[in-house]
Amino acid sequence: MSSSTYSNSPCAACKFLRRKCLPDCVFAPYFPPEEPQKFANVHKIFGASNVSKLLNEVQPHQRDDAVNSLAYEAEARMKDPVYGCVGAISILQRQVIKLQKELDATNANLIRYACTEIPAPSPSSSSQYARRSSSTSHDGSSSTSSYGHYYSNPYFSPWSNSHNGSCGDGHDKPEFK
C-alpha cells in the first residue's frame, strides 16, 4: 500500500463510526484501516467515547499497551461474555497447577529411582568398606571418607522416605526443573 493511499484512508475507528478521520485523530495510530474488527470489538464492549476518554487520560507512551489490553479483553468478552479474559486466565492457571503436580510427581519418581540405584552394602561389608576407606594422612591422623561414615551409621536407611532431600548417601537429591 502506498503512503498516499494510506494517508487518505480513514482509520478503522473513523470508518466504523462513519466520520472524517482528522490528522489528530486519537484512534488512528492504534486502529489501522487494515484491522477493522479490532475496533469493532472494542467499540461493542467499551464504546467509542469511553475508549477516546481513556486514550486521552493515558500517557502517550502507554497508549499502545492500553489499546492492546482493550482489544484483548474485547475479543475475550466476545468469546465469553461472562468471564472474558479472566476465564481464559483461570483455565491457564488450572493447567499450570495440573502440570506442576505432574512435574512434582515425575521428580519424585526420578529421585526414588535414583535412590534405589545406590548399591547397599551388606552389614559385614559395610564395616570392611569403612575400614578400607579410612586412611592415614601425612601427619599420622586417620580419617574416614563420607561413604564409610554414612554406611556405618545405624540410623541410616537408603530406603527410608524421610530423608528430606537426600538419597541417604550423604549426597543431595538431584534437582530436575
Side-chain angles (χ1 to χ4, degrees):
M1 195 178 248
S2 70
S3 60
S4 62
T5 309
Y6 180 76
S7 62
N8 290 339
S9 64
C11 69
C14 291
K15 187 183 276 188
F16 184 86
L17 298 171
R18 295 188 177 136
R19 65 182 192 189
K20 185 174 180 180
C21 190
L22 301 173
D24 62 341
C25 176
V26 72
F27 298 118
Y30 312 106
F31 298 103
E34 302 86 36
E35 300 177 17
Q37 194 60 43
K38 181 178 177 180
F39 181 76
N41 290 344
V42 170
H43 174 65
K44 184 172 184 175
I45 301 299
F46 299 105
S49 84
N50 288 333
V51 174
S52 175
K53 287 176 192 174
L54 179 93
L55 289 176
N56 287 322
E57 290 176 4
V58 173
Q59 297 292 325
H61 68 278
Q62 295 175 325
R63 289 179 182 166
D64 194 42
D65 290 335
V67 169
N68 287 336
S69 295
L70 289 171
Y72 183 79
E73 176 63 24
E75 187 176 331
R77 288 279 172 185
M78 298 297 283
K79 292 177 184 174
D80 184 357
V82 175
Y83 294 109
C85 68
V86 173
I89 291 168
S90 176
I91 289 169
L92 292 172
Q93 284 177 334
R94 279 185 265 152
Q95 286 178 346
V96 166
I97 291 168
K98 178 184 171 195
L99 292 172
Q100 186 63 49
K101 287 180 182 179
E102 287 180 20
L103 182 62
D104 291 343
T106 302
N107 282 337
N109 287 338
L110 284 171
I111 292 166
R112 201 170 315 124
Y113 176 75
C115 289
T116 58
E117 291 295 312
I118 299 170
S122 65
S124 62
S125 67
S126 68
S127 61
Q128 288 175 339
Y129 183 76
R131 272 186 263 136
R132 270 187 281 176
S133 64
S134 66
S135 62
T136 306
S137 65
H138 295 289
D139 63 354
S141 63
S142 68
S143 64
T144 305
S145 74
S146 62
Y147 291 112
H149 170 72
Y150 286 107
Y151 283 128
S152 61
N153 183 348
Y155 300 106
F156 165 75
S157 170
W159 298 278
S160 72
N161 288 332
S162 61
H163 44 70
N164 293 334
S166 172
C167 289
D169 63 352
H171 295 90
D172 291 335
K173 67 182 175 185
E175 289 289 325
F176 300 102
K177 292 186 180 189

